[in-house]
Amino acid sequence: MPSTPQGVPAGTRRSPGHRPRTRRLRAASVVLAMACAPAALAGCSLGSSDQHSILHRHSLVIGVKGDQPGLGLLVNGHYQGFDVDVATYVATRLGVPASRITFRTTPSSVREKAIEDGTVDMVVATYSITPARKTQVTFAGPYYVAHQDTLVRTSDRSITSVHDLARKKICAVKGSNSWRRITDERSIPAVPVDVATYSDCMPLLMNGRIDAFSTDDLILAGFAAGHPDVHLIGAPFTDEKYGIGMRKGDLAGCEAVNRILTGMYQDGSAGRFLDHWFADTGAKLTTSVPQFEGCS
């Protein structure tokens, strides 16, 4: 006896315009996906086979820094800072409340690997968008454009611009591009001193084992807060576009996050986050929506 297609009563003839059930379901899935706005994703079932997208997460693991004051700092078991606030804002508008967010310390040296192997779903960790990184990671944003500057001891008047770093010892954090902006891109013969994390740079600067700590101004401002013995020279020389890194190819997730980031600036949240962490540091803050890179 021939089988009867599920959902079609036995003996029922299909009309000439009848579409198979699988085709109807596929069309319905497309309609549903288009109807799901990022702010309501928690209640949407997108029906996509791409389960790697951040749009399909009931919970999120987000990589942040754990040693950068004002940006991502682990204090008594809790993460705090501008990056953490941005990550929480984005996650909640993707439908994942704070109670279902897990933050994980993700140093510069392992960010790409952590995304690729699924250790984290996103990275929000002063993660500058670069052409090389875009071959491995899909970036939303930037959510902020910082500028590389230089931190020196207040007593040192010999360094007033990046060019004065010639033959000076500078901090070289593993996985960071900051020191290469000086030695490789500008061919300034500074002397890199290798360290594992940004927090390793401050004691070296304070005790004179390095002459300068050069990286993004927001990072430096966070470290300089409360330390009158060091100061920013106020001579920025790059644009550092902080992106939200996610699995390569998650274009739908990237586009959703870009819409959320636009809203974060338009509703004033970005400005409040920045003022909370950096208003008293002397850093020049930008509160307008950055120009997005585009998802790829």
Side-chain angles (χ1 to χ4, degrees):
M1 180 177 178
S3 61
T4 302
Q6 184 179 1
V8 180
T12 301
R13 294 176 58 87
R14 291 193 177 99
S15 64
H18 181 84
R19 291 187 298 174
R21 182 174 184 268
T22 55
R23 195 175 302 165
R24 296 201 315 273
L25 288 176
R26 192 176 299 118
S29 295
V30 172
V31 172
L32 180 58
M34 293 175 63
C36 290
L41 284 173
C44 280
S45 177
L46 297 179
S48 168
S49 60
D50 182 9
Q51 295 305 309
H52 292 307
S53 175
I54 59 169
L55 301 184
H56 295 270
R57 295 288 188 258
H58 174 263
S59 59
L60 284 170
V61 180
I62 303 177
V64 294
K65 294 294 181 64
D67 65 342
Q68 291 183 357
L71 287 158
L73 187 66
L74 183 59
V75 180
N76 297 324
H78 298 282
Y79 289 88
Q80 62 182 32
F82 175 64
D83 283 354
V84 178
D85 289 345
V86 171
T88 302
Y89 183 99
V90 169
T92 55
R93 280 152 183 80
L94 286 171
V96 179
S99 60
R100 298 204 301 268
I101 300 171
T102 299
F103 290 106
R104 181 163 294 166
T105 300
T106 308
S108 299
S109 58
V110 302
R111 289 179 295 202
E112 288 83 19
K113 183 178 184 297
I115 293 170
E116 289 171 0
D117 66 19
T119 300
V120 299
D121 300 305
M122 302 192 294
V123 170
V124 189
T126 59
Y127 199 3
S128 295
I129 302 170
T130 68
R133 289 171 179 166
K134 288 173 78 170
T135 65
Q136 298 175 270
V137 175
T138 287
F139 282 103
Y143 61 91
Y144 191 77
V145 179
H147 308 282
Q148 184 163 341
D149 206 337
T150 305
L151 191 69
V152 300
R153 291 182 295 279
T154 303
S155 59
D156 186 350
R157 302 297 180 182
S158 67
I159 301 173
T160 59
S161 77
V162 64
H163 300 286
D164 295 329
L165 296 177
R167 292 171 293 281
K168 301 286 189 178
K169 293 181 180 179
I170 62 172
C171 211
V173 177
K174 184 177 181 181
S176 170
N177 286 320
S178 295
W179 64 275
R180 297 185 187 278
R181 306 276 195 211
I182 299 166
T183 60
D184 296 2
E185 294 182 8
R186 286 165 179 75
S187 300
I188 296 171
V191 181
V193 176
D194 294 335
V195 299
T197 65
Y198 283 105
S199 58
D200 295 329
C201 296
M202 279 300 287
L204 296 181
L205 180 61
M206 300 289 283
N207 64 28
R209 293 176 60 190
I210 61 172
D211 300 299
F213 176 11
S214 183
T215 190
D216 311 347
D217 52 2
L218 282 193
I219 296 175
L220 297 177
F223 279 115
H227 292 281
D229 294 336
V230 297
H231 77 282
L232 278 164
I233 65 173
F237 56 93
T238 69
D239 289 338
E240 300 298 331
K241 301 175 181 179
Y242 289 169
I244 295 180
M246 58 195 72
R247 186 180 290 268
K248 182 66 177 176
D250 186 4
L251 303 187
C254 174
E255 290 164 359
V257 171
N258 279 346
R259 290 191 291 271
I260 292 169
L261 293 176
T262 298
M264 183 181 75
Y265 277 88
Q266 291 177 339
D267 69 15
S269 295
R272 289 192 296 273
F273 298 156
L274 288 164
D275 284 343
H276 178 76
W277 296 108
F278 300 107
D280 298 327
T281 66
K284 297 178 181 179
L285 303 174
T286 302
T287 57
S288 56
V289 183
Q291 179 66 48
F292 292 155
E293 288 281 293
C295 299
S296 62

